[in-house]
Amino acid sequence: MAATSWENSVKSLKGVILDMCGVLYDAGEDGGTPIPGSVEAVKRLKASDLQVRFCTNETQATREVFVAKLQRMGFDICVSEVFSPAPAAVAVLKERGLRPHLLVYDGVVPEFDSVEKANPNCVVIGDAAEKFSYQNLNDAFRVLIGLEKPVLFSLGRGKYYKEDEGLNLDVGVYMKALEYACDVEAEVIGKPDPMFFQKVLDDMGIQSQQTLMIGDDLVNDVGGAQHCGMKGVQVRTGKYRPSDEKHPKITGDGHVGAKMAEAVETILKL
């Protein structure tokens, strides 16, 4: 699909959804650093007539902590504009009366304070980073294998993500290990799940064909958005790899330079 396919649809756009890590900033031990031009690009988008939302599979902090970090970097952003997997998972758990065993990063545990966890009847797995020890994975395995009908939720299914020092394994790798060991298929909450994207569209009050997703992940950002009827553009930052442009199944509606700011410049000019 030619890069011009998304450019030709810009005039009908009413909303833009931005991925965060790898698009707005690169993560790191010190909290991360903004990608050049991204702070100003967000300001310009929000000053336009377009609706703007932020859609992330971030599961290492609560939305409040995560947003506060980005605000310190200079981003014009508030909690209500950010959609992440943990709050969506809590809603599902409550709706189905499930009690989770959590294999998640310590920073996101408070998101689950309102959910009963005694005598767990499901497992929720997120990007637990160093918490992905043999013991912790085995504890999750034992919960699942002991259930008559095991239920596994994964907060996203990414293969890897980028931090300042390089690429790191993401939750999808460990999700697959538990799926294999327990003969269960995980229910993914987060990108690229269509219901997750639909919640963002519902919040903006616009249709998928009026919306553009900008991300660095070809499968979860671009492919997920396209599956919902949106245009999906990949930036060449974050976890982008040159091989993405030759993917056998997913073709982005466009690729833009080295920064998200270039995509925003195109949107605002056309």
Side-chain angles (χ1 to χ4, degrees):
M1 190 175 296
T4 54
S5 65
W6 75 275
E7 294 173 358
N8 290 337
S9 68
V10 163
K11 291 181 180 180
S12 65
L13 281 183
K14 292 188 177 180
V16 175
I17 301 175
L18 299 172
D19 179 37
M20 301 179 79
C21 183
V23 175
L24 303 183
Y25 75 103
D26 281 324
E29 291 185 1
D30 59 350
T33 55
I35 292 172
S38 59
V39 171
E40 180 60 29
V42 170
K43 288 180 181 177
R44 293 186 64 199
L45 268 182
K46 296 186 78 171
S48 73
D49 294 331
L50 295 168
Q51 295 251 31
V52 181
R53 296 293 185 274
F54 304 88
C55 192
T56 178
N57 276 356
E58 165 68 37
T59 56
Q60 289 198 1
T62 63
R63 282 190 302 168
E64 289 76 11
V65 170
F66 185 49
V67 167
K69 177 181 74 172
L70 291 173
Q71 289 173 339
R72 289 192 296 271
M73 292 183 190
F75 287 102
D76 178 8
I77 185 172
C78 63
V79 172
S80 63
E81 297 169 327
V82 176
F83 291 77
S84 61
V90 169
V92 171
L93 293 169
K94 289 181 176 180
E95 180 182 328
R96 292 164 58 175
L98 293 171
R99 304 178 301 277
H101 171 90
L102 299 176
L103 179 49
V104 298
Y105 198 76
D106 287 344
V108 82
V109 170
E111 293 274 22
F112 295 87
D113 283 350
S114 63
V115 178
E116 176 62 46
K117 303 176 196 65
N119 189 25
N121 55 6
C122 70
V123 168
V124 174
I125 184 173
D127 174 21
E130 66 271 12
K131 290 288 185 177
F132 280 131
S133 65
Y134 173 80
Q135 183 61 56
N136 289 341
L137 277 167
N138 205 46
D139 287 345
F141 160 75
R142 286 174 173 170
V143 171
L144 287 171
I145 207 70
L147 296 171
E148 182 179 350
K149 294 182 178 180
V151 178
L152 171 63
F153 295 103
S154 183
L155 306 182
R157 65 176 189 194
K159 295 178 180 178
Y160 53 83
Y161 58 92
K162 185 178 183 293
E163 291 196 340
D164 289 342
E165 73 276 10
L167 298 176
N168 292 346
L169 290 175
D170 203 351
V171 62
V173 177
Y174 303 96
M175 176 197 82
K176 286 295 183 182
L178 290 174
E179 283 185 330
Y180 177 71
C182 302
D183 291 319
V184 62
E185 182 176 349
E187 298 180 43
V188 177
I189 300 177
K191 298 178 292 185
D193 177 51
M195 291 183 64
F196 187 68
F197 277 116
Q198 189 59 51
K199 288 182 181 297
V200 187
L201 293 170
D202 290 344
D203 186 69
M204 291 192 288
I206 58 179
Q207 300 299 311
S208 59
Q209 63 269 23
Q210 301 170 315
T211 311
L212 174 71
M213 173 80 204
I214 301 176
D216 66 327
D217 186 319
L218 182 69
V219 175
N220 295 313
D221 295 336
V222 175
Q226 290 175 330
H227 187 66
C228 295
M230 293 183 267
K231 295 292 185 184
V233 170
Q234 187 181 25
V235 291
R236 297 185 177 101
T237 54
K239 66 191 296 183
Y240 163 83
R241 313 297 290 169
S243 59
D244 290 344
E245 299 186 40
K246 300 177 182 178
H247 194 280
K249 295 182 179 179
I250 301 173
T251 301
D253 292 293
H255 289 84
V256 291
K259 297 179 291 187
M260 179 269 286
E262 295 186 23
V264 171
E265 185 70 21
T266 300
I267 292 168
L268 297 179
K269 275 186 176 180
L270 294 176

